[in-house]
């Protein structure tokens, strides 16, 4: 997976676009590492564009919750967009209501 990073307004808003599956492993570690780098650079507004995610399991949910926690610690905000129906179902099944979509 290659996670694309887009920044708007000189890093005020960052957009991460992971691709493929979020099931734990390299792809999930890459996403968490990029989010951590953004927080360390002072970013407080992150949009996760999940339009290219084809599958996500509980490890993927765990990664998103971890990223959410990172941003909460710095009084930041995270939003999800382009969440496919199949991925939305994972949120419903796991009762994950942490994110705004």
């Amino acid at each position: 997976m290659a996670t694309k990073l887009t920044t708007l307004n000189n890093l005020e808003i960052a957009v991460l676009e992971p691709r493929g599956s979020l099931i734990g492993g390299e792809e999930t570690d890459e996403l968490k590492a990029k989010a951590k780098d953004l927080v360390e650079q002072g970013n407080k507004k992150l949009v996760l564009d999940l339009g290219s995610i084809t599958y996500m399991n509980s490890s993927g949910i765990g990664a998103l919750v971890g990223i959410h926690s990172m941003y909460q610690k710095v009084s930041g905000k995270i939003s999800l967009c382009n969440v496919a129906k199949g991925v939305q179902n994972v949120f419903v099944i796991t009762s994950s209501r942490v994110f705004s979509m």
Side-chain angles (χ1 to χ4, degrees), residues 12-78:
E12 184 177 326
I13 300 172
V15 180
L16 286 177
E17 299 176 56
R19 300 178 190 285
S21 298
L22 285 178
I23 57 173
E26 279 185 38
E27 75 289 338
T28 307
D29 292 342
E30 179 185 355
L31 178 61
K32 290 189 296 187
K34 287 193 178 191
K36 183 180 179 203
D37 289 345
L38 288 168
V39 168
E40 289 173 352
Q41 293 172 31
N43 177 261
K44 292 190 177 185
K45 295 178 184 174
L46 176 65
V47 175
L48 286 173
D49 182 344
L50 301 181
S52 295
I53 293 296
T54 55
Y55 180 76
M56 183 185 313
N57 66 9
S58 60
S59 294
I61 294 279
L64 297 182
V65 170
I67 293 168
H68 181 265
S69 295
M70 275 191 269
Y71 271 80
Q72 275 192 318
K73 287 178 184 174
V74 297
S75 300
K77 206 164 198 173
I78 180 174

Side-chain angles (χ1 to χ4, degrees), residues 77-99:
K77 206 164 198 173
I78 180 174
S79 295
L80 306 179
C81 70
N82 293 327
V83 183
K85 189 69 172 166
V87 174
Q88 283 181 22
N89 289 339
V90 174
F91 286 98
V92 171
I93 290 167
T94 59
S95 299
S96 299
R97 296 193 174 121
V98 172
F99 305 100

